[in-house]
Amino acid sequence: MRMKLVGVGGATAMAALRVATGAGNWFSALALGVTLLKCLLIPTYHSTDFEVHRNWLAITHSLPISQWYYEATSEWTLDYPPFFAWFEYALSHVAKYFDQEMLNVHNLNYSSSRTLLFQRFSVIFTDALFVYAVYECCKCIEGKKAGKELTEKPKFILSALLLWNFGLLIVDHIHFQYNGFLSGLMLLSIARLFQKRHMEGAFLFAVLLHFKHIYLYVAPAYGIYLLRSYCFTANKPDGSIRWNSFSFVRLISLGLIVFLVSALSLGPFLALNQLPQVFSRLFPFKRGLCHAYWAPNFWALYSALDKVLSVIGLELKLLDPNKVPKASMTSGLVQQFQHTVLPSVTPLATLICTLIAILPSIFCLWFKPQGPRGFLRCLILCALSSFMFGWHVHEKAILLAVLPMSLLSVGKAGDASIFLILTTTGHYSLFPLLFTAPEKKNLFLIGWKLSTSLAWGLWKSSVNLYSLSPPGS
């Protein structure tokens, strides 16, 4: 029944799209169509993240701020930065009109029909920020290469790729999280940098960091770009930096933005002398190198190799069976573990590997700046580097690269080809999040068709547009 509803929802969304595009208002049609589909995904299963966020609603609503980062009745303790805690606090004052019981800290695993509706609709409602961010990103796309057909217009392609991103549909509206509005903040900050509204872009990114600290991975791209392109106001004819153009006023302005946003976020906990406790929640290194559902990165290969070597060692009687842990990495649990044959990896080692991986893109951004598009490439490479070498990487983190790559993909055929590979493999890696049989069977096929058809259509359109554009454009 659930998947029949999704099928009906898809048809309804397509009908809305045809009606609105007939009237010329294609962006509203895309946004309306995907919103209808999100509403029809409400009955689908949800993961433990549903209980995580319900518990955070209860913590922030029922307890004083001094207890938010100490409360441990549930295993799903508050481990996001303070702005997200305040976001949950604001949501809780709406949630009480749906079902007061969901705000009881001791009601573990509570899930009434009203709680389900509230939580699902809260994600859909806050996606309005994502829709606005996509609209602003479309303004940054040059229209001179636009084809005659709607499906060949770069702005339409970009809107479809972002608004109908299948990864976000899986993660937010089935699995259950709030990545939509967080991604909206990131895309909006990128759009502001493209529009040369640097202070706004810096402010939005600073706010984003205090909503979810995973965005620290792309902070080097922001820092280097703002320093190079905003604090230095002029370049030499060969493109190298003109050192005497440095503006201390602009640097101080950026510093004040970061300081004021951080003070607003962390100030209350600094006053309570709780910053060490907050940071211990934000960076829980005891969770282990790999997530319960492995992200397809370097450490997954490293751990798989260790597993193969341990099996070979046992077969050859080179290892003591009593000293080899049983399914320590494949049990599906979030936990610390030690590799059996290969050297065990520490958080510091992953940090060093990540920094080494992002250094080439950072150097290019500094020594060979290419404007906002160069910044965007650096951001994507930082996101991919952290995905490949970071500590305890979630499979969902691939969206940190897929979404910004959408902006590059509508410009050149080469970028579109890379995007085709990235989005296909990235979305494929998210399918383990579909737990139950109906979603696995039906949404796998729907998602694969949706993501690959959109990406393939994008590639063909970009090839066509790029071949018609003048050299160097």
Side-chain angles (χ1 to χ4, degrees):
M1 178 61 70
R2 287 183 297 180
M3 296 315 302
K4 289 181 179 179
L5 286 174
V6 173
V8 173
T12 305
M14 290 300 104
L17 177 61
R18 285 193 294 270
V19 171
T21 50
N25 195 2
W26 54 264
F27 185 86
S28 297
L30 288 172
L32 175 61
V34 76
T35 300
L36 291 174
L37 179 58
K38 291 171 184 177
C39 290
L40 289 163
L41 288 174
I42 288 175
T44 55
Y45 93 96
H46 51 77
S47 71
T48 54
D49 282 330
F50 184 88
E51 168 61 14
V52 169
H53 289 282
R54 185 215 60 81
N55 185 56
W56 292 359
L57 287 172
I59 289 174
T60 55
H61 185 84
S62 306
L63 301 175
I65 186 175
S66 60
Q67 298 181 32
W68 286 2
Y69 286 94
Y70 283 94
E71 165 59 33
T73 300
S74 168
E75 62 180 309
W76 313 117
T77 54
L78 181 59
D79 58 6
Y80 273 25
F83 277 178
F84 201 94
W86 288 111
F87 168 73
E88 296 278 9
Y89 174 79
L91 286 181
S92 71
H93 286 278
V94 181
K96 66 183 180 182
Y97 296 107
F98 282 75
D99 188 347
Q100 186 71 33
E101 289 302 311
M102 80 171 83
L103 303 177
N104 186 336
V105 173
H106 300 285
N107 274 353
L108 302 183
N109 299 310
Y110 183 81
S111 180
S112 67
S113 58
R114 292 186 178 184
T115 301
L116 174 65
L117 287 174
F118 169 76
Q119 299 231 114
R120 289 293 197 192
F121 277 119
S122 68
V123 179
I124 295 171
F125 178 79
T126 54
D127 273 356
L129 178 59
F130 181 73
V131 174
Y132 174 68
V134 174
Y135 180 78
E136 288 296 308
C137 286
C138 288
K139 294 180 180 179
C140 305
I141 303 300
E142 296 180 0
K144 64 181 180 181
K145 299 179 184 178
K148 295 181 180 180
E149 298 295 329
L150 178 63
T151 54
E152 291 184 348
K153 295 181 182 296
K155 293 183 179 181
F156 177 84
I157 297 170
L158 177 62
S159 299
L161 289 173
L162 290 174
L163 294 176
W164 286 77
N165 182 275
F166 188 68
L168 278 179
L169 289 175
I170 290 178
V171 175
D172 279 10
H173 302 281
I174 299 176
H175 184 76
F176 192 86
Q177 280 191 356
Y178 290 91
N179 293 285
F181 94 90
L182 295 173
S183 299
L185 278 173
M186 181 181 70
L187 291 177
L188 191 56
S189 72
I190 293 172
R192 293 298 182 246
L193 294 184
F194 267 77
Q195 297 162 1
K196 300 189 182 303
R197 296 157 67 174
H198 298 90
M199 295 290 283
E200 290 182 46
F203 171 76
L204 289 168
F205 184 69
V207 170
L208 177 61
L209 283 179
H210 288 275
F211 266 101
K212 193 170 184 179
H213 49 303
I214 191 177
Y215 292 96
L216 278 170
Y217 287 134
V218 299
Y222 275 88
I224 295 298
Y225 177 72
L226 289 170
L227 181 63
R228 180 67 172 80
S229 301
Y230 182 67
C231 294
F232 287 92
T233 59
N235 293 324
K236 294 180 181 179
D238 61 358
S240 61
I241 198 167
R242 191 182 295 275
W243 292 98
N244 60 1
S245 69
F246 182 75
S247 171
F248 282 101
V249 173
R250 292 189 174 190
L251 179 63
I252 292 172
S253 299
L254 290 174
L256 280 175
I257 286 177
V258 175
F259 173 77
L260 292 175
V261 171
S262 300
L264 183 61
S265 171
L266 301 174
F269 301 96
L270 177 62
L272 292 169
N273 197 28
Q274 292 184 359
L275 278 187
Q277 176 63 21
V278 173
F279 289 136
S280 70
R281 286 285 183 86
L282 298 184
F283 303 99
F285 293 115
K286 293 183 179 180
R287 288 186 174 180
L289 175 64
C290 295
H291 188 246
Y293 293 92
W294 292 6
N297 62 7
F298 177 81
W299 303 123
L301 296 175
Y302 185 88
S303 300
L305 177 60
D306 181 77
K307 186 68 176 179
V308 170
L309 292 176
S310 65
V311 171
I312 294 174
L314 289 173
E315 289 293 328
L316 298 178
K317 297 182 179 180
L318 299 175
L319 297 175
D320 184 354
N322 297 321
K323 295 182 179 180
V324 176
K326 303 296 183 182
S328 60
M329 296 197 58
T330 56
S331 60
L333 300 176
V334 177
Q335 58 182 336
Q336 283 186 304
F337 62 88
Q338 299 292 320
H339 288 97
T340 304
V341 179
L342 299 176
S344 294
V345 180
T346 65
L348 179 60
T350 63
L351 176 61
I352 293 173
C353 290
T354 302
L355 291 176
I356 292 174
I358 70 173
L359 280 178
S361 59
I362 294 296
F363 284 147
C364 286
L365 186 61
W366 179 265
F367 292 106
K368 296 181 180 180
Q370 299 176 358
R373 294 184 69 85
F375 154 73
L376 188 55
R377 292 183 187 279
C378 181
L379 183 149
I380 294 167
L381 289 171
C382 287
L384 289 173
S385 297
S386 65
F387 182 82
M388 290 301 296
F389 298 106
W391 176 268
H392 195 75
V393 176
H394 291 229
E395 63 287 314
K396 302 178 284 291
I398 193 62
L399 295 177
L400 196 59
V402 169
L403 295 174
M405 187 65 198
S406 303
L407 277 72
L408 287 181
S409 64
V410 295
K412 294 184 178 181
D415 290 330
S417 299
I418 294 172
F419 178 76
L420 173 62
I421 298 172
L422 179 63
T423 191
T424 303
T425 55
H427 289 168
Y428 182 81
S429 70
L430 295 176
F431 284 122
L433 298 178
L434 303 177
F435 292 160
T436 59
E439 285 83 9
K440 280 185 177 180
K441 179 180 178 181
N442 297 282
L443 283 175
F444 180 92
L445 298 175
I446 294 172
W448 185 263
K449 183 177 181 180
L450 177 64
S451 59
T452 54
S453 61
L454 279 175
W456 179 248
L458 160 72
W459 184 81
K460 291 193 295 183
S461 299
S462 296
V463 168
N464 183 33
L465 295 173
Y466 188 54
S467 63
L468 296 177
S469 61
S473 61

